[in-house]
Amino acid sequence: MRVIQSLRRLQVWRCRMGQQNPRIGFVPTMGALHEGHLSLMRRARKECDLVVVSIFVNPLQFGPAEDLGRYPRTFQADRKACEQAGVDLIFFPQVKDLYPSTFQTSVVVKQLTQRWEGEIRPTHFQGVTTVVTKLLNLVGPHRAYFGQKDYQQYIVIKQLVEDLSLPVTIIRCPTVREADGLAMSSRNRYLGATERELATVLYRALSAGKKAITDGVRSGKKIQQNMMRLCKKHPELSIDYFTVCHPLTLEPLTRVDREAVLLGALRIGKVRLIDNIFAFLGSA
Ligand code: AMP
């Protein structure tokens, strides 16, 4: 497995690979790798000839009051995990190389980024779409793998790739969860023991919303209230949003008479958690 830091070296590598025409699978990450990330790498390993992982804590996608400074950086452990997952190359660029002092361009997906995460984190998606565009240009993959865990991000990136006619297929991979349902996340390590126990409420709330749909509730508002009810029992939580929405437009549904995605975000102390699940009419 190779580790490349320099953009120039990566471009040379990509050029050389181009002559052999391998199918390249790409998994962009911010490191602090866990089973969720590894599942993306394994999927890429199955479907592609070469697997490239990027590890880059992207400053552009953090707001001024967010956790950029204390975001976990665990490169040595990440490197081992990548090696075990059969990764061929880690791209591990430095901030000054991806964003030199002359940098002044950003990529914006206008509509899909307005709601939900975009409302709470106004500069977040612009940071994500800008870095993902750069990374896709540098790595030149045939397929890029994203987790359902960050569902809005996945939808935004699909739109970006379509709008800019980028020659890559975006693959959505299922959310990997702990045994008690909590979606794995690099930020889970910030949770203290009591907070960790409380954190399962997010998945339980989304599951309650899904059950309401299965049980025949059709009012979007009632389903939303159903999800929030569980959380409101815990005053130590603060809710950012719960919604039941259209899986492609992410617009809230007043009546749920088709497949829907349930999105939720809350804070426990300083830790912010997001999650989502699909609900199909009549599904168990
Ligand atoms: P991050 O390092 O948080 O930027 O995540 C990198 C990629 O891993 C993104 O596509 C995430 O959606 C995905 N990911 C993170 N957590 C999970 C999880 N629990 N299950 C599946 N994919 C995940």
Side-chain angles (χ1 to χ4, degrees):
M1 186 183 72
R2 280 189 71 177
V3 177
I4 294 185
Q5 276 207 296
S6 128
L7 271 60
R8 184 79 202 112
R9 284 224 177 102
L10 183 74
Q11 282 163 329
V12 170
W13 173 87
R14 184 61 185 90
C15 218
R16 208 164 357 99
M17 285 306 140
Q19 291 153 10
Q20 300 164 25
N21 203 23
R23 177 177 286 265
I24 298 180
F26 177 44
V27 181
T29 81
M30 297 207 297
L33 301 179
H34 50 67
E35 275 300 313
H37 299 111
L38 296 178
S39 71
L40 272 52
M41 294 174 203
R42 291 189 198 110
R43 171 97 179 257
R45 181 70 284 160
K46 266 195 210 148
E47 296 179 354
C48 304
D49 303 317
L50 285 175
V51 179
V52 178
V53 169
S54 64
I55 298 181
F56 180 64
V57 182
N58 174 32
L60 288 194
Q61 71 188 68
F62 289 76
E66 293 181 3
D67 56 347
L68 173 64
R70 64 181 189 121
Y71 197 85
R73 288 160 171 89
T74 58
F75 184 72
Q76 289 316 326
D78 292 349
R79 182 189 185 130
K80 264 195 206 150
C82 286
E83 190 133 39
Q84 281 167 7
V87 169
D88 296 288
L89 189 151
I90 299 179
F91 179 44
F92 183 49
Q94 294 182 42
V95 174
K96 67 174 176 38
D97 292 332
L98 275 192
Y99 305 127
S101 58
T102 50
F103 189 83
Q104 52 187 297
T105 300
S106 49
V107 179
V108 181
V109 173
K110 287 188 206 153
Q111 246 161 276
L112 287 167
T113 56
Q114 294 301 305
R115 286 189 188 275
W116 319 128
E117 285 305 285
E119 212 170 321
I120 311 277
R121 308 178 72 190
T123 57
H124 172 68
F125 284 120
Q126 185 166 323
V128 171
T129 45
T130 301
V131 81
V132 168
T133 305
K134 275 184 77 97
L135 292 170
L136 290 174
N137 277 334
L138 285 160
V139 174
H142 300 83
R143 294 172 160 241
Y145 296 82
F146 290 86
Q148 173 164 340
K149 156 78 172 36
D150 301 283
Y151 186 72
Q152 190 175 7
Q153 169 175 283
Y154 158 76
I155 289 289
V156 166
I157 285 167
K158 287 273 285 182
Q159 189 69 42
L160 160 80
V161 162
E162 194 178 319
D163 289 352
L164 298 185
S165 309
L166 301 180
V168 60
T169 304
I170 302 299
I171 315 270
R172 169 163 58 93
C173 301
T175 303
V176 178
R177 301 179 179 283
E178 302 286 356
D180 59 9
L182 177 66
M184 289 192 184
S185 161
S186 307
R187 290 185 167 101
N188 290 352
R189 66 185 75 195
Y190 301 149
L191 296 164
T194 323
E195 293 172 334
R196 170 63 187 80
E197 230 170 88
L198 193 55
T200 60
V201 77
L202 178 52
Y203 180 63
R204 285 188 282 122
L206 292 168
S207 304
K210 177 173 171 165
K211 182 171 184 307
I213 294 174
T214 312
D215 290 348
V217 181
R218 292 288 168 264
S219 148
K221 196 158 188 200
K222 283 214 169 105
I223 295 160
Q224 186 198 32
Q225 284 166 350
N226 221 296
M227 294 191 278
M228 310 236 279
R229 197 173 305 132
L230 251 182
C231 298
K232 284 183 174 158
K233 286 185 188 153
H234 302 282
E236 47 301 31
L237 295 179
S238 90
I239 297 175
D240 277 348
Y241 59 82
F242 274 96
T243 179
V244 51
C245 53
H246 187 289
L248 299 177
T249 64
L250 303 184
E251 290 297 316
L253 295 171
T254 33
R255 254 197 89 67
V256 180
D257 46 18
R258 50 155 299 143
E259 181 192 0
V261 63
L262 289 79
L263 306 174
L266 49 77
R267 291 164 209 256
I268 306 178
K270 282 190 175 155
V271 188
R272 188 159 181 279
L273 302 172
I274 64 170
D275 199 355
N276 66 85
I277 53 175
F278 274 103
F280 304 92
L281 294 192
S283 66

